[in-house]
Amino acid sequence: MRSLPKLLGLLGGICSVAAWPVVAHAITASVAERAPSLAGEAVTFDLTIGDAVGPVQVRWDMGDETRTEFTIGDVQQVHTYAAPGHYPVLATVKDDVGFTSVAFVHTAHRPLVTGSAAGSTDLVYDQPNAKVYTANYDNDSVSVLDAGALTRLAEVPVARGPVGLALTAQGKLWVLHRDAHSLSIVDTASLAVEREVMLPYASQPMGLAISPTGDAAYVTLMAVGKLLKLDVASGAVLSELVLGGTPRGVSVSHDGSQIYVTRFISEDSHGEVARIDAATFQVSARFELAADTTTEDTDQQGRGLPNYLFSVGLSPDGLFAWVPGKKDNIFRGPFRDQLALTDDNTVRPLVALLNVAEGVEDVARRIDLDDRNLPNQVVFTPLGDYAFVSVAGSALVEVRDTYTGEFVTALKETGFAPRGLALTETDRLFVHASLSRTVAVYDVADIVSSHDLITKKLADIPTVAVEKLDAQVLRGKQLFVNSADIRMSDQGYISCASCHFDGAEDGRVWDFGSVGEGLRNTVSLLGRRGTGHGNVNWSGSFDEIQDSDDNIRDLFGGKGFLSAEQLAVGTVATPRGDKKAGLSPELDALAAFLGSLDTHRPSPFRNADGSLTQDGVAGRAIFKRLGCGFCHTGADGTDSAGGKLHDVGTVKASSGMRAGEPLFGIDTPTLNGVWETAPYLHDGSAPTLRDVLVTANPEDRHAFTSALSEAELGQLIAYVQQLDGTVDLEPSEGDGAGDEETSEENLFGCSAAGGRGDRHAPLLAFALVAGLMTFGTRRGRPA
């Protein structure tokens, strides 16, 4: 079966057949409008001929390797397509004086299930009311759009950080809030927020889907590894299921019987999607997305570990689940396989196809999107024969043939960071360009009907009336995610968000030996305020965010945002050399955005009121006694501002260099937010905090932890897990009598009690990986 772009081009170009002389064509032919058919069932094509001279001969090519010879009067074909697909049918007609032809694409599809699946999204279509709603994360609002007139009707203020939307059959719009850890219920008629349902403290609710049967809603809690089942009428929690990991995207099958949840940050061995039986609310299967270690790395393909699994798109035939994400090539690098990372083979986008009947990924059908970055949501045409895939980092939507997986076309000029998608019954595709603050609308009728590849952009609907972000910060955020800019990435694979989506980290350890570093663990950027803590990167190799232009050129394959003439002045081209600030508006915008990331996400390890637990309070005292504040000092918990580097026994050959120079130590990072950034240490060699303090600290060079009992070690770990930048203004319940009040200033203060704690100052190494970049967070998010 030919790919659709090729076959439509072939059919569109059929105007002559060289077997006959060129004559004036009097004969005419046409095939009546025909409906798609089911694979395995017979379909009839009737040919109507006019103005023929003499006997009429017809030859049929059915597009599936079935062809007839020229036969007199063969004006009807009854044919059965064994497999689903898009088949180019060609009927060639000739009479005594000339010829003509009829060409079209026929779709044979699989049997369809009754009803539609539901999935988490930040854009929903309200068909009965002809409205579209978007969740505006940065602006704490929901926009209401007229799906017919393509205008904004209203913008409804809601709680902090809306990330997900879903509609109930009763005309209620559910709005999920990551930052407020809550759920707002909005009446779609009055557009009033009726009530807000609080979810577990600091749990980071990320995915929301209401079952098509209307009997339950499901919410993923990414920070605590749980899935909640909620009552649709009240929003009350009915049950919870511990999944582990970082559950993010959630979808529910058409009949409400099966729930699918993605693990956003993968283990080093494989990606994962869990399937939950709705009746028992227990995991029935875990789909493992295998790491690709054997594919040859080229400019068209490459190895990689599936990661950043955003969502699950369930096909209308009920047979497959499409899971967009990325592949991280953690198998490549000078310290690993002696091959340097390249812009073609560091991160690559993927769509995994899960065979839901067999409970496994169909690895042979895994799709490697070429020259793309960060695919995140999938919606299907009604027949399930085409898939629309939003590609956030590439500012476009790809269209794929679901039967072959082949590229069909791309809808470009969506705006920055397209995410949520909705296809209406009028064949309009709505695309939420989240960082352009618009919804792009396309007429895709010709694609849906397989008539042509033609699409028409109908509108860009503004979603936000008054932007909350500073203009330079917003511009920097747009630059971070956008790999379509050749200055950022020559091939379009990498942007800053590729490793720091949502302002966090990807859980990976990269081999940056080819750019003068070593094995480097990606860590969250939240709360660091750009260079607010001092130099950045594990080695402290950059003294300004604008130095990231080096990474853009060396790792991303981009042209960079500085000209050759600018780089030739003084030591501008050198990290920690002459200042780059002020030389490029784009680099300054990137720096402004990173500088706006001034808060950490609250720790779910704290009490429900945000206070330290009893173990946390006890661990705080141990932290002080050991002298951990010697390096983790001041309000930010780091001595990085002084330019100090430390070796607490973790620097080794694979630690590499410092921007091509000798590496004598590691920069001290803050411990705030480390609860969500495993693995640990600059090379990721410590899977847990216990490994940091014990396994990787055999000589007590990283604090005198061998003197601690198991109970004390657990309390110290509990305290570190609860560090999130929160100011503890009063002693928490259970705090020892006389224990001083704890503020940001003395939380990490130098209160060592002497002894070996002085000589072996601690350094829990968590810090910025080369190329500090992110997507999804903003200034002023209160902890």
Side-chain angles (χ1 to χ4, degrees), residues 311-360:
S311 61
V312 177
L314 298 171
S315 61
D317 55 25
L319 299 179
F320 294 96
W322 286 44
V323 182
K326 67 165 181 167
K327 287 196 302 184
D328 292 332
N329 199 342
I330 57 173
F331 314 109
R332 188 179 177 104
F335 292 101
R336 287 173 169 156
D337 65 356
Q338 292 74 57
L339 296 175
L341 291 176
T342 69
D343 54 317
D344 280 305
N345 284 288
T346 299
V347 296
R348 298 184 69 92
L350 69 78
V351 177
L353 271 66
L354 311 183
N355 185 319
V356 300
E358 298 181 8
V360 296

Side-chain angles (χ1 to χ4, degrees), residues 252-273:
V252 188
S253 62
H254 68 286
D255 58 0
S257 66
Q258 304 295 323
I259 309 153
Y260 296 83
V261 178
T262 67
R263 177 173 179 166
F264 188 59
I265 304 295
S266 302
E267 298 179 350
D268 277 346
S269 56
H270 62 275
E272 184 176 284
V273 175

Side-chain angles (χ1 to χ4, degrees), residues 585-597:
E586 292 81 8
L587 291 178
D588 290 346
L590 293 174
F593 174 54
L594 283 180
S596 75
L597 304 180

Side-chain angles (χ1 to χ4, degrees), residues 294-473:
T294 58
T295 296
E296 181 184 2
D297 290 345
T298 70
D299 61 347
Q300 299 291 319
Q301 61 184 20
R303 295 170 291 171
L305 169 74
N307 199 13
Y308 276 6
L309 305 182
F310 286 94
S311 61
V312 177
L314 298 171
S315 61
D317 55 25
L319 299 179
F320 294 96
W322 286 44
V323 182
K326 67 165 181 167
K327 287 196 302 184
D328 292 332
N329 199 342
I330 57 173
F331 314 109
R332 188 179 177 104
F335 292 101
R336 287 173 169 156
D337 65 356
Q338 292 74 57
L339 296 175
L341 291 176
T342 69
D343 54 317
D344 280 305
N345 284 288
T346 299
V347 296
R348 298 184 69 92
L350 69 78
V351 177
L353 271 66
L354 311 183
N355 185 319
V356 300
E358 298 181 8
V360 296
E361 180 194 2
D362 190 340
V363 178
R365 297 186 63 196
R366 182 183 289 181
I367 301 171
D368 190 333
L369 307 182
D370 197 32
D371 298 337
R372 302 286 190 249
N373 179 35
L374 294 173
N376 56 91
Q377 188 168 347
V378 180
V379 298
F380 298 92
T381 53
L383 295 178
D385 55 335
Y386 297 113
F388 295 93
V389 184
S390 61
V391 190
S394 302
L396 55 78
V397 174
E398 270 208 4
V399 185
R400 290 271 167 169
D401 184 319
T402 62
Y403 303 134
T404 65
E406 292 184 342
F407 173 82
V408 174
T409 190
L411 310 181
K412 298 185 177 180
E413 300 180 355
T414 61
F416 292 111
R419 300 179 75 168
L421 303 172
L423 181 64
T424 72
E425 74 283 359
T426 58
D427 296 332
R428 286 181 171 183
L429 184 71
F430 287 77
V431 184
H432 186 201
S434 58
L435 291 185
S436 289
R437 314 311 197 210
T438 58
V439 168
V441 187
Y442 296 86
D443 181 346
V444 294
D446 282 343
I447 290 178
V448 172
S449 64
S450 297
H451 284 168
D452 210 326
L453 303 182
I454 296 174
T455 62
K456 180 181 179 181
K457 189 174 185 181
L458 302 176
D460 283 312
I461 311 172
T463 56
V464 175
V466 179
E467 175 61 46
K468 287 188 176 182
L469 290 190
D470 173 84
Q472 189 181 35
V473 170

